[in-house]
Amino acid sequence: MSKSTFSKPELPRRADVIVIGGGVIGCSIAYHLARSGQFDVLLLERRQITSGTTWHAAGLIGQLRPSINMTNLARYTRELYDALEEETGQATGYRRCGSYSIATDPERFEELKRSASMARVFGLQVDVVTPESIKERIPLLNTSDVIGGIHIPTDGYANAVDITQALAKGARAAGARIVENVPVTAIRTASGRVDGVTTEQGEIDTGCLVICTGMWTRDLAASIGVNVPLHACEHYYALFESVEGLDASLPVIRDYDACTYYKYDAGKLLVGAFEPNARPWGADGIPDDFSFDEIAGSFDHFEPILHGAMARMPALERAGIQKFFCGPESFTPDVRYHIGQAPGHANCFVAAGMNSIGLQSAGGIGKVVSEWIRDGHPPADLWEVDVRRNMPFQRNRRYLHERVSESLGLLYAKHYPYRQFETARGVRRSPLYDRLREAGACHGELAGWERPNWFAPEGMPARYEYSYGRQNWFQCSAAEHRAVRERVGLFDQSSFAKFRLEGRDAAWVLNRVCTNDIDVRPGRIVYTQWLNERGGIEADLTVTRLGEDSFLIVTAAATEVRDFHWLEAHIPDDAHCVLTNVTSAMGVISLMGPQSRDLLQSLTPADLTNEGFRFATSREIELGYGLVRASRITYVGELGWELYIPAEFTVGVYEQILAAGEAFGLVHAGYHALDSLRIEKAYRHWGHDITDEDSPLEAGLGFTVKYDKPGGFVGREALLGQKERGIDRRLVQFRLLDPEPLLYHNEPIWCRNEIAGYIRSGNYGHTLGGSIGLGYVEGPAATGLPANGAGSFEIEVAGVRVPAEASLRPMYDPENRRIRC
C-alpha cells in the first residue's frame, strides 16, 4: 500500500479533467486520458490509492462475459495487463494461467457451450472440455458429478493493488497528477455543466469531471442530481494454507453451480463465492473514514459455501483456513456497471458499480471512458452499461437494499433467457395490472414496470420454469401469437415512454433531430430514427403530430431517460418549446389482428374503415365512456390500433373492450408474443438489432430518411457519405431450417465456412415454423445477398451449425398487405 508523502498537498487551480477516486477504475481512466496526450489530468483520492475496495479484490482476470461488447472490454483488459509491468517497471502479479469453468447439469453446460460459440465471433479461444480432461489437468478437483466445461487458455489473475499502482505510475509518466489525502467535499455546477470541485485545500476548476468513487458514488453523484443506483454488499473469501497437491500452475477454477471460484495465491488457495442471497451493507451510507477496512461478516453465512468447496476439492478438508475475509463491494440493480456521460450534465462522467469484477473490467472501462471524453461520444455500443439506462426511482434505498441481495448471486447464476428478477418487484404498475393478473398474466419487469409477458390458461401457475430449451410458457405464447395472426389480441403497452414537445418551434426542433420528415398535417404518425453525427441510430420511435405546435413522441420503456435527455440536449437555448415526460399520464392498450377493426368499430361511432382511418393516422375517438387517442400503427405486422387513454379511464375502456371482445375471439397477449410476432416481420429492436453503431442504411431503414427536407437533420452528412461509398454490412433476417433449435442472441453466422456476423436478436416464429434471428452480415456475404439464400448460411447454436434461410425482405407479409387493409 502506498503512503502519501504530502500532509497538505499543493493543488492546481484548474485541470482539463478531474478524476475523483483512486481505485483501479479511476487510475485506469487517468492512465488512458494521460496517454492520449490531449488532457491535463488530475486524480484526487480521499485517502490512499486502492484504499476503498480495490485493495481486497480477489484478482481474477476473466474475459468471457455475457455479451460480445463486454467480452471485448474484458479481453482488452487482459491484453493491457499483459504488457503493463514491462511498460511501467511496476510489478503487477499478473499471471496467465488459464481458467476452467465446470458444469454439473445440462442447462449449465448448454450455457457454457453457447458462450464458447459467442467467443468465436471475435476470435477468443474458448475450448469445450470433458470431465476427463478437466480431471487430468486439475487432479485436486472431484469431477464425479461434472458433465463438461470450458477452458480459456488466456485467462489469469493479478494483484489488484499492484495493477493499480502500475496504472498510476503509467498515468504519472504520461503527465497526469495523482494526489492522495484530498477528499472532494462538493462538486460545483452551473447551467447544466460541472465547473469544478471543492476540497479542504480549496477549489479547482475543470472542463470535465469523472466520478469513480466506488460505493461512495451513489451519494456523491446524487449531490448534483445524477442518478447512479448502487449499494454495497458483503463479499466473502477464505484463504487455505497447506493444501496438499497445490502448486503455482493451478488454473483459475469457476464452479458456477456451487457459487464458488478458486485461485492460487502465493502458496495458498483462495476460495471465494457469489452466494444467491447476499447481505447488503452500508444502507445508511459508507463512513468517510473507511479505508483498507474489513467488515465483520458472518461465518455462518459463508459456511455452506465452504462445505461445498470441500466436496469439490477434498484436499481442503485437511487444510487450514489462514484467513476468513469479508469486505464490501458495490452492486447494481441489474448486475451491470454504470459508465458514461451523466444525463443533464454534458461534461460529467461516471464509472462505478463494478459488481465485484472491477479489476477484470478496469482496462476496458478506462479505454472507452477516456475515448468517450476525448471524442464526445462512446467508441462502441455501450448501452447495456450506460448510466442513462437507470430510472429515477432506482436510487430509492429500500429498493436497492432488496434488489442487490439478489444481484450478487446472479453473477454465477445461470443466465437463462427471459430470466426475471425476484426482488424489489411491483414498483411501476399499469392501471390494468390487477385485471391482467386475474386473467392469468405472468409479469416480467423492465425499467421497474410490471409487464405481462405471457398468460397462463386456467389451472396452470403463472410462473416461469427456466431452461435453454422450450420453457413452460412456450405453447401459451404460441397460442397468443397465432390468435393475433388469425383473430385479435390485446396487449397492455402502458410502459411506453411518452413525451410531449410543444411550442412554436417544436416542429423545427424535432425535424432537426429526426431522419424522417415530421412536418406533416396534424393526426399523422411518423416512424423515424434519431441519429448521432456519425450516422448511428440513437433512438427508434414514432412521432405523432397532435396539432400545429404539439407533438407526441412514443419510445421504448427501457430508453425513457436516454431518449428524453437526447431530445432535451438538442433543444437550442433560444427555442420556444417545452419538453414534458407524460409517461405516467396515459395507459396504452393495443388491439392487433385481422379482427381488431371489427371489434373496435363495435365500440365507437368513429369511422374505422381503411378509407376513413388510414394507416399511420392518429385521432381522438369515443370509446366506452371515454375519449381516447387511437393510433393506427403496428409492431406485430397486422392490422391494429394503439389506444392512448388517460390513466383514470384505462380500466373502464379495458372492461368495455373485454366485454365486446368475446364475439371476435379476443385473447390477452404478452410481450413474448409481441417479440415473436415482430421478429417474423423483421421489425427492428433498438439496443439489439439497431444501436448507435448502426446506420439506417445498414439496418434496411433507408425509407425513413428524408435527405432533402428543409434544414436537414443530425447525421445527414454521414449518411450521404455512406450512401456514396456503399455499404458492406447489412441486417439480414434468418430462419433456421431445423425447427428444433432456439435462437436468442449472439449466435455466430457462418457463410461458406467463414464467420460473417452474429445474431443480434432471436425468437421463435410460430407462423414461419422455426427460429428467427436478425443479424448483420459483413464482407462478401453481404454484397452477395439475397442471391446467397438458403444453403449458404448456417447459424451456430451451442457449438452446432444449423442451416438457415436468409432474406433482406421480411419473411412474413413482405408486401405489407395485412397492415394496410
Side-chain angles (χ1 to χ4, degrees):
M1 303 174 192
S2 67
K3 299 292 184 182
S4 173
T5 58
F6 306 102
S7 56
K8 287 188 176 181
E10 182 179 342
L11 299 177
R13 296 289 302 274
R14 188 186 187 283
D16 293 339
V17 183
I18 294 177
V19 179
I20 308 177
V24 68
I25 301 298
C27 287
S28 179
I29 291 173
Y31 168 88
H32 285 87
L33 282 170
R35 282 173 56 88
S36 76
Q38 298 184 29
F39 301 100
D40 169 31
V41 180
L42 172 66
L43 185 150
L44 299 175
E45 163 55 41
R46 67 185 182 92
R47 297 289 176 178
Q48 294 172 253
I49 286 177
T50 78
S51 64
T53 58
T54 296
W55 73 273
H56 62 70
L60 305 187
I61 310 296
Q63 300 167 87
L64 192 58
R65 308 299 306 146
S67 74
I68 285 173
N69 282 342
M70 293 304 102
T71 300
N72 277 331
L73 293 191
R75 185 168 67 164
Y76 170 80
T77 298
R78 191 269 301 168
E79 293 167 351
L80 173 66
Y81 294 171
D82 216 3
L84 195 57
E85 185 169 332
E86 182 178 352
E87 175 196 333
T88 64
Q90 165 71 45
T92 62
Y94 176 75
R95 185 168 180 279
R96 193 194 304 187
C97 60
S99 73
Y100 281 82
S101 298
I102 62 175
T104 59
D105 70 62
E107 292 291 310
R108 176 70 72 183
F109 198 27
E110 172 85 1
E111 178 180 340
L112 294 178
K113 289 187 290 185
R114 283 179 174 265
S115 297
S117 289
M118 179 189 73
R120 296 187 203 280
V121 173
F122 44 85
L124 175 64
Q125 182 181 349
V126 179
D127 302 316
V128 178
V129 292
T130 65
E132 292 76 19
S133 64
I134 296 170
K135 181 68 175 179
E136 182 179 359
R137 176 63 184 86
I138 315 172
L140 282 171
L141 283 188
N142 170 16
T143 59
S144 61
D145 59 341
V146 175
I147 63 173
I150 57 173
H151 173 224
I152 306 177
T154 53
D155 276 357
Y157 59 81
N159 183 296
V161 172
D162 291 342
I163 287 283
T164 307
Q165 293 290 0
L167 289 167
K169 186 175 182 180
R172 291 188 183 101
R177 183 167 183 183
I178 297 176
V179 184
E180 298 174 294
N181 294 314
V182 179
V184 171
T185 57
I187 300 171
R188 305 194 329 263
T189 62
S191 302
R193 295 180 63 84
V194 170
D195 60 16
V197 300
T198 301
T199 76
E200 294 174 352
Q201 311 301 322
E203 295 192 343
I204 310 170
D205 297 334
T206 189
C208 181
L209 181 73
V210 191
I211 304 175
C212 312
T213 51
M215 55 190 174
W216 288 270
T217 299
R218 181 191 69 204
D219 294 340
L220 179 61
S223 70
I224 57 169
V226 173
N227 181 32
V228 188
L230 54 79
H231 197 295
C233 283
E234 297 175 355
H235 185 51
Y236 293 87
Y237 59 74
L239 270 176
F240 286 83
E241 59 183 355
S242 304
V243 180
E244 297 175 13
L246 179 66
D247 64 64
S249 69
L250 183 76
V252 171
I253 303 161
R254 295 180 177 88
D255 184 359
Y256 291 113
D257 296 322
C259 310
T260 51
Y261 59 86
Y262 304 78
K263 184 199 88 166
Y264 179 84
D265 194 304
K268 304 173 185 63
L269 185 73
L270 184 149
V271 179
F274 292 100
E275 68 277 18
N277 298 302
R279 289 162 53 100
W281 181 82
D284 297 325
I286 312 300
D288 289 337
D289 61 353
F290 193 88
S291 177
F292 296 115
D293 287 331
E294 301 180 31
I295 54 180
S298 166
F299 189 83
D300 289 342
H301 179 75
F302 191 62
E303 190 173 18
I305 297 293
L306 290 179
H307 287 306
M310 291 175 182
R312 178 63 60 210
M313 195 173 283
L316 296 182
E317 296 178 358
R318 301 178 296 279
I321 296 180
Q322 185 199 55
K323 175 73 174 176
F324 169 66
F325 178 84
C326 179
E329 297 271 4
S330 59
F331 288 82
T332 66
D334 56 5
V335 211
R336 291 178 281 162
Y337 36 74
H338 300 314
I339 66 173
Q341 184 179 332
H345 293 75
N347 63 337
C348 180
F349 288 77
V350 171
M354 294 299 117
N355 300 290
S356 200
I357 55 171
L359 184 67
Q360 69 185 34
S361 306
I365 290 174
K367 178 178 185 293
V368 298
V369 171
S370 66
E371 291 174 356
W372 198 332
I373 293 169
R374 182 194 68 196
D375 301 332
H377 59 81
D381 171 30
L382 299 172
W383 169 240
E384 62 188 289
V385 293
D386 194 319
V387 70
R388 291 174 292 174
R389 75 187 185 277
N390 297 306
M391 298 295 143
F393 80 87
Q394 290 182 299
R395 65 174 174 261
N396 179 284
R397 293 177 187 235
R398 179 181 174 188
Y399 166 84
L400 286 169
H401 188 274
E402 293 180 14
R403 174 56 63 85
V404 297
S405 67
E406 180 182 10
S407 295
L408 182 148
L410 293 179
L411 283 169
Y412 274 21
K414 295 185 184 73
H415 298 93
Y416 283 122
Y418 311 107
R419 189 197 182 281
Q420 302 297 320
F421 286 99
E422 298 175 0
T423 54
R425 291 291 298 270
V427 179
R428 304 172 80 183
R429 308 180 191 186
S430 91
L432 302 180
Y433 174 78
D434 290 333
R435 303 300 177 97
L436 297 179
R437 282 194 66 182
E438 292 173 5
C442 181
H443 285 85
E445 183 251 343
L446 182 73
W449 283 101
E450 293 293 326
R451 311 199 309 175
N453 280 345
W454 58 281
F455 287 81
E458 189 173 350
M460 178 181 179
R463 62 171 179 264
Y464 280 91
E465 295 175 8
Y466 298 114
S467 78
Y468 275 93
R470 286 160 170 75
Q471 297 183 11
N472 64 317
W473 51 265
F474 185 85
Q475 292 302 333
C476 302
S477 187
E480 297 165 22
H481 178 116
R482 286 189 285 269
V484 173
R485 289 277 184 250
E486 298 165 7
R487 301 186 305 279
V488 58
L490 182 152
F491 298 89
D492 177 13
Q493 295 188 275
S494 301
S495 62
F496 275 150
K498 302 171 278 283
F499 316 138
R500 286 183 70 128
L501 187 69
E502 298 170 285
R504 72 182 188 211
D505 292 332
W508 170 74
V509 168
L510 265 179
N511 234 7
R512 178 65 183 152
V513 174
C514 296
T515 57
N516 215 331
D517 189 355
I518 58 85
D519 194 5
V520 294
R521 62 175 173 79
R524 294 295 294 169
I525 308 167
V526 179
Y527 170 54
T528 188
Q529 283 79 48
W530 295 347
L531 306 184
N532 52 47
E533 295 286 356
R534 304 170 310 285
I537 301 172
E538 293 284 347
D540 180 70
L541 42 78
T542 62
V543 175
T544 302
R545 190 163 200 168
L546 305 177
E548 191 64 26
D549 298 329
S550 179
F551 295 84
L552 175 67
I553 298 134
V554 178
T555 187
T559 57
E560 178 181 338
V561 171
R562 176 195 176 103
D563 294 347
F564 185 89
H565 283 280
W566 180 267
L567 181 54
E568 185 179 55
H570 285 81
I571 300 175
D573 291 339
D574 59 351
H576 289 262
C577 59
V578 176
L579 179 64
T580 309
N581 188 336
V582 295
T583 299
S584 300
M586 290 181 282
V588 180
I589 296 174
S590 294
L591 291 176
M592 297 288 156
Q595 294 295 311
S596 59
R597 174 182 285 122
D598 294 339
L599 170 54
L600 272 178
Q601 192 67 80
S602 72
L603 296 170
T604 180
D607 180 6
L608 301 184
T609 64
N610 194 45
E611 294 74 21
F613 208 124
R614 292 287 186 181
F615 181 75
T617 296
S618 177
R619 68 172 63 114
E620 196 172 75
I621 67 171
E622 296 178 28
L623 189 61
Y625 299 124
L627 297 174
V628 309
R629 173 160 294 279
S631 296
R632 188 177 166 191
I633 198 76
T634 182
Y635 193 53
V636 302
E638 300 292 342
L639 172 70
W641 278 263
E642 294 171 356
L643 307 176
Y644 292 81
I645 313 163
E648 69 271 28
F649 288 92
T650 304
V651 172
V653 170
Y654 167 79
E655 290 173 342
Q656 294 281 336
I657 293 172
L658 203 62
E662 186 175 354
F664 299 93
L666 176 70
V667 301
H668 289 93
Y671 274 82
H672 292 335
L674 185 78
D675 191 54
S676 64
L677 289 158
R678 72 92 190 169
I679 206 166
E680 285 192 326
K681 195 69 175 69
Y683 286 148
R684 282 56 168 156
H685 185 292
W686 193 90
H688 290 92
D689 311 314
I690 48 178
T691 71
D692 58 4
E693 290 188 287
D694 309 309
S695 80
L697 302 184
E698 295 166 330
L701 297 172
F703 64 91
T704 71
V705 181
K706 301 298 184 286
Y707 295 99
D708 298 329
K709 65 177 179 173
F713 56 88
V714 176
R716 175 179 180 271
E717 288 70 25
L719 286 193
L720 286 172
Q722 190 178 68
K723 187 177 181 181
E724 182 178 348
R725 294 188 304 271
I727 56 175
D728 61 357
R729 63 194 294 266
R730 308 173 83 176
L731 188 64
V732 180
Q733 185 182 35
F734 296 94
R735 181 179 69 89
L736 297 188
L737 300 183
D738 181 347
E740 289 305 310
L742 299 179
L743 295 178
Y744 298 116
H745 58 90
N746 291 336
E747 295 89 352
I749 300 168
W750 291 83
C751 181
R752 298 187 181 94
N753 216 35
E754 298 285 342
I755 291 181
Y758 63 94
I759 295 296
R760 291 288 191 92
S761 67
N763 206 326
Y764 200 83
H766 300 286
T767 306
L768 296 176
S771 282
I772 309 298
L774 294 175
Y776 289 88
V777 171
E778 303 187 17
T783 58
L785 283 163
N788 287 322
S792 297
F793 287 96
E794 298 171 306
I795 312 297
E796 182 177 332
V797 181
V800 178
R801 296 190 205 175
V802 183
E805 173 188 8
S807 177
L808 289 173
R809 303 181 71 204
M811 294 181 183
Y812 181 79
D813 187 27
E815 304 295 336
N816 291 329
R817 292 190 178 96
R818 296 181 68 86
I819 67 175
R820 297 182 181 274
C821 60

